[in-house]
Amino acid sequence: MEEVPQECPGTGSAQAGRGASCQGCPNQRLCASGAGAAPDPAIEEIKEKMKTVKHKILVLSGKGGVGKSTLSAHLAHGLAEDENTQVALLDIDICGPSVPKIMGLEGEQVHQSGSGWSPVYVEDNLGVMSVGFLLSSPDDAVIWRGPRKNGMIKQFLRDVDWGEVDYLIVDTPPGTSDEHLSVVQYLSAANIDGVVIVTTPQEVSLQDVRKEINFCHKVKLPLIGVVENMSSFVCPRCKKESQIFPPTTGGAEAMCQDLQIPLLGRVPLDPQIGVRAFCHRHPSHEEEQRSTS
Amino acid sequence: MPALCGGPRSQTTPRLPWTCSPRPISGRGACWVPVPTAPVPPAPGNLSGVRHILLVLSGKGGVGKSTLCAQLALALRHEGKKVGVLDVDLCGPSVPRMLGAQGSAVHQCDSGWVPVYMDQEQSVALMSVGFLLEKPDEALVWRGPKKNALIQQFVSDVAWGELDFLVVDTPPGTSDEHLSVVEALRSHQPLGALLVTTPQAVAVGDVRRELTFCRKTGLRVVGVVENMSGFACPHCSECTNVFSTGGGEELARHAGVPFLGSVPLDPQLARSLEEGGDFMRDFPGSPAYPALAAIARKILDAAQAPGPG
């Protein structure tokens, strides 16, 4: 039975492999060689690349299906309404890339140039990148474990030729795992401006979202605020309001008050968002765009 | 950034008697993979008493996988079956709250870990990382290898006992958790996978990829369920297709797999899930009940039919 040191300094620490508590640890030689402490050279390369990107915003949620990709797309389009604002939308949901479909860009392919991969432009001032553009069929599954996904994210940040960009919006998968750690790690030298958290009103979502907020605190990501999506539903026939996802614990408003985080806005359930690839000029989304800019 | 190894007293280490065994990953240095301190004696197999294993999958998040797992467990229990629910969504474990078991603790016995029972009759047994966290808001910030190790333990070290069904709830995607749980369960010949989608194209697009995952890993698809299929206004009864319509049935037809049914949006179901209530017992008149009961019967039929798994 292997013994673990009671006071393991951590593989990234200066004391890794060298502390008194490391004696007899099976990994001592590996840690002492500096393998755990050496930073990935890509971090500096990405820092250089990101010098042309003024603002970087992550869209996160602990919970799936709350509308991260929908909000990311609307935010990107809203910011790009000003022709002089250059916007980039990066989709790092490797297993479930929704952004191409939502942006009406399915079937588009990525091209390589001398300066790297070219994003797919939906407007002159709005470029998009997603693993969805690298798959040849809608049935293709990306069945990758963490390290391969991390490699893809590194390439997206380092090898895509974004050019001069005012806003980079990063759409993420749900959770607090490889993709999230990687994007934070790779952008660590490039400064992330902030995070927009998306939730729906019910506690089943909020309990996951609180974990995501804790993740943000742990990795020192500034929080711009929370958007509550699918807040209510207005019947198109009788115009009466129903709450399909009841906020049994007070919804995002109560959580935001509790955690002292701004509530950026509430977006109602709108069947048009499900039917059409992109719902332009929704008033609630414009509210978020003003808050986030 | 968080260090690769948080150390034995790290905030992200669950409160289990674990020690760490080094397994370097990808040339990035050591990655501590947790193993139990007390070696678990080789039992005949903690899954040997489980008759049917059903995985609930979806490429897409938020379509109702955990909801389906919980309601299926309740429906099967009301049919007199003994059911287990294994929640391998480590980042967002919803099962404890949905089945009213939040705050319960996991204990150890000679054969491994004792699942959390919903009731005194022990008709529904649960295991989730949600039971292992010090605080409910604690984020499990783990990369793949640590998640894989825990999933393997959930499969081999939980003393499920005699069960008619083990329903496995998964996170969205086709990644570490899915590969690990399919590999760990392979020798136990699962009944198959139930795929959950919502009607709109964005969801169906991800579920198509999940179907490919099932094909590539040799996992039989028992059927497709379309959730959040329409909303009947409680004021005027007008039915609105909030998330579009028809995608699930079309997907099943395209893939050549059975379509098991459409479950409408039902605020009473949403409320039951929030409160950890027994929707299948308490609300037989609610819009979602008939579809859920029918899906459970189809699962029972599939389990009784001769064939693989």
Side-chain angles (χ1 to χ4, degrees), chain B residues 6 12 38 99 123 160 207-208 273:
Chain B
T12 56
L99 289 172
S123 54
W160 294 105
V207 181
R208 283 177 77 166
L273 294 164

Side-chain angles (χ1 to χ4, degrees), chain B residues 17-305:
Chain B
W18 284 8
T19 187
C20 293
S21 168
R23 234 171 267 165
I25 49 158
S26 302
R28 286 299 303 138
C31 175
W32 299 98
V33 177
V35 295
T37 40
V40 177
N46 275 319
L47 286 175
S48 56
V50 176
R51 292 182 59 212
H52 304 289
I53 299 172
L54 180 74
L55 285 90
V56 180
L57 303 173
S58 178
K60 188 86 182 72
V63 297
K65 292 177 288 305
S66 303
T67 302
L68 252 298
C69 282
Q71 304 318 306
L72 262 178
L74 294 170
L76 292 169
R77 173 230 224 164
H78 292 310
E79 295 280 341
K81 303 297 178 193
K82 290 195 77 169
V83 188
V85 181
L86 171 58
D87 177 7
V88 301
D89 187 344
L90 304 185
C91 294
S94 305
V95 163
R97 168 168 285 271
M98 289 184 175
L99 289 172
Q102 198 130 320
S104 304
V106 167
H107 304 285
Q108 284 208 320
C109 66
D110 290 340
S111 323
W113 300 349
V114 181
V116 170
Y117 290 103
M118 262 185 74
D119 53 359
Q120 290 216 329
E121 298 82 42
Q122 300 190 345
S123 54
V124 182
L126 312 175
M127 182 52 67
S128 168
V129 79
F131 300 131
L132 308 178
L133 300 170
E134 291 271 354
K135 297 172 214 157
D137 296 342
E138 194 178 328
L140 210 70
V141 185
W142 287 0
R143 289 193 184 269
K146 272 181 109 157
K147 292 195 286 186
N148 300 336
L150 182 55
I151 289 169
Q152 275 162 29
Q153 279 189 274
F154 274 172
V155 169
S156 60
D157 297 345
V158 175
W160 294 105
E162 298 288 322
L163 290 179
D164 296 295
F165 287 90
L166 178 65
V167 182
V168 184
D169 186 21
T170 62
T174 50
S175 189
D176 285 278
E177 295 89 332
H178 314 87
L179 286 165
S180 296
V181 81
V182 166
E183 278 166 25
L185 289 173
R186 195 179 294 283
S187 59
H188 302 279
Q189 293 184 293
L191 177 65
L194 181 67
L195 263 69
V196 186
T197 186
T198 47
Q200 76 273 45
V202 151
V204 167
D206 284 349
V207 181
R208 283 177 77 166
R209 304 189 204 281
E210 198 75 19
L211 281 163
T212 303
F213 170 84
C214 292
R215 201 184 70 245
K216 285 195 163 163
T217 54
L219 189 57
R220 172 187 165 212
V221 176
V222 171
V224 170
V225 168
E226 182 181 277
N227 195 18
M228 306 198 198
S229 196
F231 175 64
C233 175
H235 306 287
C236 69
S237 302
E238 165 92 348
C239 185
T240 307
N241 292 318
V242 180
F243 298 113
S244 191
T245 185
E249 193 160 7
E250 173 57 34
L251 173 68
R253 194 170 30 242
H254 166 85
V257 298
F259 180 64
L260 299 187
S262 305
V263 184
L265 279 161
D266 184 344
Q268 187 53 66
L269 173 61
R271 195 170 285 277
S272 275
L273 294 164
E274 295 276 281
E275 294 161 1
D278 189 338
F279 173 84
M280 298 305 286
R281 180 193 63 201
D282 298 336
F283 300 102
S286 207
Y289 177 88
L292 290 169
I295 290 163
R297 275 196 295 277
K298 288 180 180 162
I299 299 294
L300 279 167
D301 291 342
Q304 278 151 18

Side-chain angles (χ1 to χ4, degrees), chain A residues 7 27 139 177 203 214 248, chain B residues 9 30 137 147 175 212 274:
Chain A
E7 294 295 337
N27 249 18
D139 292 316
S177 188
E203 178 56 27
N214 273 323
T248 58
Chain B
R9 300 206 185 105
D137 296 342
K147 292 195 286 186
S175 189
T212 303
E274 295 276 281

